[in-house]
């Protein structure tokens, strides 16, 4: 996939996360399979995150709006990183 | 025991049916639902003052949510439905509190109360996501420039002056009409 286009399509999402102290990491671990990681910074506000199911829907909507169709998207939330 | 609350659903299609709009705010009782985020109560209070002073509202009451990230609890919803004429919720200034604020508006519109939910600009995608998950992707909420948490009273006055006409417009005119 064009990772630059993926990153651009998720820019608004990145801004929402950064406003609450989180960083967004995007990787293509296998062809067309995206892994999106929400990583907390030092001042992260854990209760500010939306439910993971909603976050995944936002990711898919943004990718869809940019006509990007990965074969899979894995979302890793802070709780998954421990 | 820890109780996990997930206010999302998976319904994606639908159209918002707004409550019937009043002709004016004259004599109406205004409910303000603040979400516990810093400066939210101040913003809503200033809006309430303006609605009374400039638009003839009878008065307002501020309700405090228990948690910013979920919709107002049932007692608030029921009281507003029973005792108030219009509702303003805000200010969604983070991800989960924006979705919660949008949901407050959706729930009270469904209860027949004309409502205006205010979130800040950064969280527009979150607001739309919550509306879509409640099967009302066209639900209209209001957007205040981000951020508000670090602003002084005078700076909040500017924000309130900017959004007030939109608040009044949304309470008086069905966005779907």
């Amino acid at each position: 996939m064009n990772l630059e286009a993926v990153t651009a399509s998720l820019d608004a999402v990145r801004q929402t996360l950064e406003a609450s102290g989180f960083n967004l990491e995007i990787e293509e671990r296998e062809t067309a399979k995206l892994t999106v990681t929400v990583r907390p910074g030092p001042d992260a506000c854990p209760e500010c995150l939306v439910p993971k199911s909603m976050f995944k829907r936002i990711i898919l909507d943004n990718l869809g709006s940019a006509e990007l169709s990965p074969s899979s998207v894995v979302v890793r939330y802070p709780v998954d990183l421990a | 025991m820890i109780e996990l609350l997930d206010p999302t659903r998976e319904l994606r299609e639908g159209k918002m049916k707004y409550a019937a709009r009043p002709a004016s705010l004259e004599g109406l009782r205004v409910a303000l639902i603040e979400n516990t985020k810093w400066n939210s109560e101040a913003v809503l209070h200033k809006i309430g003052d303006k609605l009374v002073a400039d638009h003839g509202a009878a008065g307002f009451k501020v309700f405090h949510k228990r948690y910013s990230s979920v919709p107002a609890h049932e007692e608030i919803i029921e009281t507003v439905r029973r005792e108030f004429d219009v509702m303003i919720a805000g200010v969604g200034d983070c991800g989960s509190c924006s979705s919660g604020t949008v949901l407050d508006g959706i729930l009270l519109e469904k209860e027949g109360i004309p409502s205006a939910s205010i979130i800040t600009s950064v969280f527009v995608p979150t607001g739309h996501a919550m509306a879509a998950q409640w099967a009302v992707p066209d639900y209209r909420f209001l957007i205040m420039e981000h951020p508000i948490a670090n602003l002084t009273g005078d700076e909040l006055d500017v924000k309130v002056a900017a959004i007030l006409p939109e608040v009044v417009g949304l309470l008086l005119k069905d966005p779907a009409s």
Side-chain angles (χ1 to χ4, degrees), chain B residues 7 30 33 36 47-48 65 78 81 84 93 97-98 104 107 125 133 144 154-155 173 176:
Chain B
V30 181
I33 300 181
T36 78
I47 290 173
K65 293 171 74 162
E78 179 56 24
R81 186 189 67 77
F84 290 83
D93 201 21
C97 65
S98 296
D104 290 335
L107 293 177
Q133 292 208 339
M144 182 173 270
D154 288 346
E155 290 168 328
K173 188 171 187 304

Side-chain angles (χ1 to χ4, degrees), chain A residues 30-80:
Chain A
E30 293 177 50
T31 303
K33 294 184 177 179
L34 293 178
T35 298
V36 176
T37 302
V38 176
R39 195 175 296 281
D43 299 320
C45 165
E47 68 270 20
C48 291
L49 287 177
V50 296
K52 190 174 170 181
S53 60
M54 173 181 281
F55 182 76
K56 185 166 184 177
R57 176 50 57 193
I58 293 172
I59 295 287
L60 294 174
D61 283 350
N62 278 267
L63 291 172
S65 296
E67 299 183 344
L68 297 165
S69 307
S71 60
S72 74
V73 176
V74 174
V75 171
R76 298 166 73 217
Y77 248 24
V79 68
D80 304 317

